[in-house]
Every structure is written in C-alpha cells, then in structure tokens.
Amino acid sequence: MTQNNLAKKDSSKSKVRIQVDKTLKQDAEKVLSNLGMTLTDAVTMLFKRIVATDYFPVSLQLTNREKANQRLLKATQDIPVKNLNNQKDVEDWLKETSEDDE
C-alpha cells in the first residue's frame, strides 16, 4: 500500500474517545484478548450491529442476581450500623444480641 493510499484509509476512520473505570477496561481487555479481539474490534462490532439491527443489541435488563442485590440493599438501607472497633466491642455486641434472643 502506498503512502497516499494509507493516508486515505486513515482519513476514513474516526476516533471515539470514552472514559471508563480503569479496572473495567483492563478486565474487558483480558476477556477480549482471550477471544482474539481488541477493544477497537469490540466497539466496531457493536456499532455495526447497531446499524444493522437499528437497536442496541445488549439487554439492559438486570439479571436475577442484580435484582436480588438491589432488593437486599433497599431492605437493609435503614438498618443502623454499629461500629465494632475492638474485641471488647464485639463481645459486648454478642452479649446484646444473645440477650435479645431470650
């Protein structure tokens, strides 16, 4: 490929710049690498699928586990939290809870 053709090919591409959590990016790169893909490959495939189907091809619904976690968090959000900073605090708390059971 000549230098002129290379320049034409590069000008047909557009950069997409996003910010994501660093750990999420690294984890995604590992998974994609195991699949023989790069982040660019994955995003390109996503965009092509969006154009081909005219919708976002990933389910945005919560999994049953995510739903259960949300219900648990909501149910426990008003429960007071007691800080146990040392062994005596733990022992006192255990005595309190055993007295409540009687």
Side-chain angles (χ1 to χ4, degrees), residues 31-90:
V31 171
L32 292 169
S33 177
N34 288 336
L35 296 171
M37 296 173 61
T38 65
L39 287 174
T40 299
D41 296 334
V43 171
T44 299
M45 288 175 65
L46 173 64
F47 284 8
K48 286 182 178 184
R49 198 75 195 136
I50 290 169
V51 170
T53 61
D54 203 28
Y55 71 90
F56 194 75
V58 176
S59 172
L60 300 178
Q61 295 179 344
L62 297 176
T63 64
N64 288 336
R65 183 177 185 166
E66 290 167 328
K67 289 176 188 176
N69 283 338
Q70 282 195 339
R71 285 192 303 271
L72 178 62
L73 288 173
K74 186 174 183 179
T76 60
Q77 69 186 6
D78 294 329
I79 296 175
V81 176
K82 183 172 184 172
N83 290 324
L84 305 175
N85 299 313
N86 53 47
Q87 185 171 347
K88 183 178 180 332
D89 288 348
V90 172

Side-chain angles (χ1 to χ4, degrees), residues 7-25:
K8 285 181 183 176
K9 184 175 182 181
D10 288 344
S11 68
S12 69
K13 301 220 176 201
S14 176
K15 286 192 182 259
V16 175
R17 188 170 181 196
I18 61 170
Q19 289 185 325
V20 295
D21 177 81
K22 190 176 197 175
T23 303
L24 175 62
K25 177 183 176 271

